[in-house]
Amino acid sequence: MSQKEVNGSSHRGKVLTLETMNQNVRQVEYAVRGPMVLRAVQIEEELKKGVKKPFTEVIKANVGDAHAMGQKPITFIRQVLALCAYPALLEDDKFPEDAKLRARRILDGCGGQSIGAYSASQGIECIRKDVASYIEKRDGGIPSNHENIYLSTGASDAIVTMLKLLICGEGRTRTGVMISIPQYPLYSAALTELQGVQINYYLDEDKCWGLDAGELRRSLTAAREHCNPRALCIINPGNPTGQVQSRQCIEDVIRFAKEEGLLLMADEVYQDNVYAEGCVFHSFKKVLFEMGPEFSSVVELVSFHSTSKCYMGECGFRGGYMEVVNLDPEVKAQLTKLVSVRLCSPVSGQALMDVVVNPPQPGEPSYATFTKERAAVLADLAEKAKLTEESFNNVPGFHCNPVQGAMYTFPRITIPQKAIDQAKAAGQAPDQMYCMKLLETTGICLVPGSGFGQREGTFHFRMTILPPKEKLKYVLEKIAQFNAQFLQDYS
């Protein structure tokens, strides 16, 4: 008998099968890169092979990837990153002195003066100090300690890390986390993987996706029957809904968190993306401290930012940070231990974050160009936000709230009963069928609202406003044409 037969391996199948793998992972869903995107990629391959379609390209309006949609990198950011990646360029006269100054400072904080070296697990100290200074300036002088800053692999990694710290228990003691509906699917996916309990609270579409403290209380009361709610997640400006929360709303949320003993997680990655007249970004940290010691000394707050959005759009570098406030010192030590398991976030992303929080100042050689480029990106997004809202509200059966901020629109669409019945018979969500037919007909890839959550009986899709203006006009026109035909086909 061979050794193989003795060990039984000749009779053994795969170690990993759908039945033997981690079942929590099987249940994870992430609509932003789900079935729609997989089909879009297949269609791109078909077009390359010469398969005839009623369109010539796939337009991926499903994801907030600014550079993939044609946005140009900010010159100063890329200059500093180029200098960090290839320090020999520090001798090149083509690069401005303020870019060289920042690159040298970053490199001095790196092991061996190379961004190819690991950093401290919490991030390079001088960059964390720059982040703290940025937060202080943003929040009108409210102190920020760099020891409370953790540089991360985008905001997503930091969010998941905090959920890992939070989630524990079994049965009715399992940790519950309150998330907005509609939500960004990172939250539902992470909660599924970590076996936390998702507690839905609904944004009010009829009040421009507003957040109501009464709805928070309803959601929390119901959840306490089956789990232990411990955290409340807020996305401001909103994704996928694009609303910007008022100061009063933020105060209400903070009061609610204090009364109910909840840790607040403030996802603020779109903080520069505010377009609507009268809307202003207020950070949770600023409002918390302006409410006085009764709140600022008690409420546990973790806020997140990223290099992937705003005017930068540098998604691929995976730069981000979180700031922790009022975290128990012993828990903070455990957080530091947890991030150390991953060694450190990408140092190139850390360098990028440093440029974001420490941009050119008045009097420096790059200030005029940087300011002009930043303003142009944000003005263009504001114009496209308005264009998208107005266009969709002219489509029969559509209702689109103002895109106050962020990078997306989330219009409500009308789907005839005949189409709803057909979708359900095929085991599909009706808005998924709508988006799939749109993709097959026009080449435009959107994400169905069912992937983000929505009130029963309503249907939506999320579309980014990032395509160049002329391409965006084309997308809006094609969606309107498709919708008219869809309503006719299923009337």
Side-chain angles (χ1 to χ4, degrees), residues 217-446:
R217 199 162 298 286
R218 176 209 65 77
S219 171
L220 183 73
T221 302
R224 283 192 166 138
E225 296 296 315
H226 60 88
C227 70
N228 178 23
R230 302 179 68 208
L232 168 58
C233 298
I234 308 286
I235 309 175
N236 179 47
N239 176 12
T241 42
Q243 82 285 3
V244 178
Q245 291 181 350
S246 68
R247 184 190 171 90
Q248 183 60 55
C249 174
I250 294 171
E251 287 184 8
D252 290 345
V253 169
I254 290 170
R255 285 194 186 91
F256 175 79
K258 178 179 181 291
E259 289 168 11
E260 301 296 342
L262 298 171
L263 180 144
L264 271 176
M265 295 175 64
D267 181 339
E268 299 174 331
V269 303
Y270 297 98
Q271 58 190 256
D272 289 328
N273 298 111
V274 177
Y275 318 121
E277 193 174 336
C279 288
V280 178
F281 170 75
H282 300 280
S283 79
F284 268 79
K285 166 102 178 280
K286 183 174 190 286
V287 176
L288 174 65
F289 277 80
E290 288 179 347
M291 289 173 73
E294 177 191 352
F295 296 92
S296 62
S297 64
V298 177
V299 175
E300 294 156 84
L301 170 68
V302 187
S303 53
F304 307 91
H305 195 17
S306 167
T307 62
S308 300
K309 310 302 177 183
C310 298
Y311 62 92
M312 303 85 69
E314 296 278 11
C315 303
F317 279 97
R318 310 308 300 129
Y321 74 74
M322 63 178 164
E323 181 185 29
V324 300
V325 175
N326 292 325
L327 208 61
D328 182 292
E330 292 180 338
V331 173
K332 195 176 153 200
Q334 295 298 313
L335 170 60
T336 304
K337 178 184 75 176
L338 187 57
V339 299
S340 73
V341 173
R342 305 280 285 275
L343 296 175
C344 66
S345 61
V347 176
S348 55
Q350 294 185 38
L352 174 55
M353 178 56 79
D354 191 64
V355 188
V356 170
V357 299
N358 185 21
Q361 299 302 307
E364 290 189 307
S366 301
Y367 180 75
T369 300
F370 173 83
T371 306
K372 181 180 177 183
E373 289 180 352
R374 179 185 186 278
V377 170
L378 294 174
D380 185 55
L381 286 169
E383 189 178 342
K384 291 188 288 189
K386 191 69 177 169
L387 170 67
T388 303
E389 175 202 342
E390 290 174 351
S391 298
F392 278 154
N393 281 327
N394 284 324
V395 176
F398 276 33
H399 169 74
C400 184
N401 275 318
V403 183
Q404 296 177 328
M407 295 177 171
Y408 316 97
T409 180
F410 197 70
R412 185 170 69 234
I413 59 177
T414 300
I415 297 183
Q417 189 60 47
K418 184 178 174 183
I420 293 172
D421 294 342
Q422 182 177 314
K424 288 182 177 176
Q428 273 188 312
D431 48 15
Q432 183 178 8
M433 183 182 87
Y434 181 97
C435 289
M436 192 64 81
K437 285 184 177 295
L438 175 76
L439 174 62
E440 299 286 356
T441 305
T442 67
I444 297 166
C445 182
L446 307 177

Side-chain angles (χ1 to χ4, degrees), residues 143-162:
S144 176
N145 186 338
H146 75 279
E147 296 292 355
N148 293 330
I149 306 295
Y150 289 77
L151 302 181
S152 58
T153 309
S156 301
D157 183 59
I159 290 165
V160 174
T161 298
M162 283 310 304

